[in-house]
Amino acid sequence: MAIQIFNSLSRQKELFKPIEEGKVRMYVCGPTVYNYIHIGNARPVIAYDTVRRYLTYRGYEVDYVSNFTDVDDKIIKVAHELGEEVSELTERFIAAYFEDITALGAEKANAHPRVTDHMDEIIEFIAVLIEKEYAYVSEGDVYYRTRKFKNYGQLSHQSVDDLKIGARIEAGTKKEDALDFALWKAAKPGEISWQAPWGEGRPGWHIECSVMVHSHFGDTIDIHAGGQDLKFPHHENEIAQSEAFTDKKFSNYWMHNGYINIDNEKMSKSLGNFILVHDIIQQIDPQVLRFFMLSVHYRNPINFAQDLVEAAANSLDRLRTSHKNLEHRLTATTNLVAVDPAELAIIEEARAYFIESMDDDFNTANAISALFNISTAANKYLNEANTNAEVLTAYKTALEELMLVLGLQLAQDEDLLDEEIDALIAERQQARKDRDFARSDEIRDLLKAQNIILEDTRQGVRWKRG
Ligand SMILES: [Zn+2]
């Protein structure tokens, strides 16, 4: 096995060697649950789900953990605005998160630990850092003594002195040094809080990931992953906390995915181009969204633009059509010709190229081109008058196998038959006459989901497939 991973620590591709033969310990920073995830959050979900699928395909047993930040300033603020309990709000958006990632074809992690379930461990972890003098209490807050950690800046490749220049001096700070960061925040009146030996409060954001990793995996993991925006300070701080705690290396490989732009602009609420997965998958097949994201290497930026998404939809459709045609021919064919070894060789070569591409730092863009090599050759073969079932099956199986590695589904919902559509339209007309608008809307949505376009004409309602 020769998988190369671009490691943000060394800024180069390295041969992947897990701590334990055949096993991978992988941690991915998860969402703060006070809203639906946006498509920027969907990227790491899809990218690292694909990494996990590929490592599994290559024979590794992957233990994959991703956390939920279920208490923080934003959560408290939104819960307060909505007049909801913090736990009600977070439960709602954890459920929504699972719905969205399932639609995107991502599997649940082996564990999804939550901050509020790990409070005792977080407090113990901080107590050890205080004892080791890597942290100090200041008026009920606890801060990490950044300068004491000698390797600070190793992941983001910055020196502590460079950081010092950029660090803001906050008025009335309780910190010894501007670079220090909060491990624990003293409770404000009326806020949700927990009792620690140094006082009431709640954890800072960075500490949770160090604690989740340690409690699930122990001292060192193989892969830690997340969005590029998390590299500094979040991941840098995780390293500082964990390595001060264990005196061991925290993670051997660090993976960071690139940003998403919308029509070449940064996504932001103020620009009004903030896209939630929950909304966009009403308009775009979530599998198309997944295919679109995988068509760009995970480290490169992605530009989310309508024409590019449409192109992705067409490409995915081509793969699905090839597969459908192979299936169809297999129901009809008899072995009119012998197996052509050249055809099988094309498939093997494409499979080898797929693996070579994915071995090369999970190059899904090239892996997708391997899928097209298969589908193009399959289409050519299907054009021949006489075909062989073994060859057809080999094409079909290769498409199924490799698309599954990328989490792409071939089978779509069964299309409605023409007479079923006619019957539904008639039923809708009747429902409208009967003023049963609930049923009439339900049928409209059902037809819309099947891409059926309705037109009102003098002769009545006509329809076509979109
Ligand atoms: Zn994290």
Side-chain angles (χ1 to χ4, degrees), residues 5-9 155 222-225 235-236 238-239 250-256:
I5 297 182
F6 183 92
N7 190 348
S8 301
L9 269 178
L155 181 67
D222 296 299
I223 301 172
H224 194 310
H235 289 162
E236 200 74 72
E238 282 189 40
I239 294 176
F250 179 43
S251 178
N252 287 331
Y253 302 84
W254 284 87
M255 295 177 70
H256 291 101

Side-chain angles (χ1 to χ4, degrees), residues 19 34 49 107 112 145 147 179 183 186-187 197 201 217 239 250 252 262 283 374 453:
I19 301 159
Y34 64 97
D49 175 72
E107 287 175 356
H112 284 280
R145 198 171 266 131
R147 277 182 186 274
L179 291 178
L183 299 177
F217 295 109
I239 294 176
F250 179 43
N252 287 331
I262 313 292
Q283 296 155 36
I374 297 173
I453 297 160

Side-chain angles (χ1 to χ4, degrees), residues 27-30 67 205-206 208-210 224-225 230 234-235 238:
Y27 184 87
V28 181
C29 294
N67 64 312
W205 171 39
H206 313 295
E208 66 185 70
C209 289
S210 286
H224 194 310
L230 297 183
H234 183 56
H235 289 162
E238 282 189 40

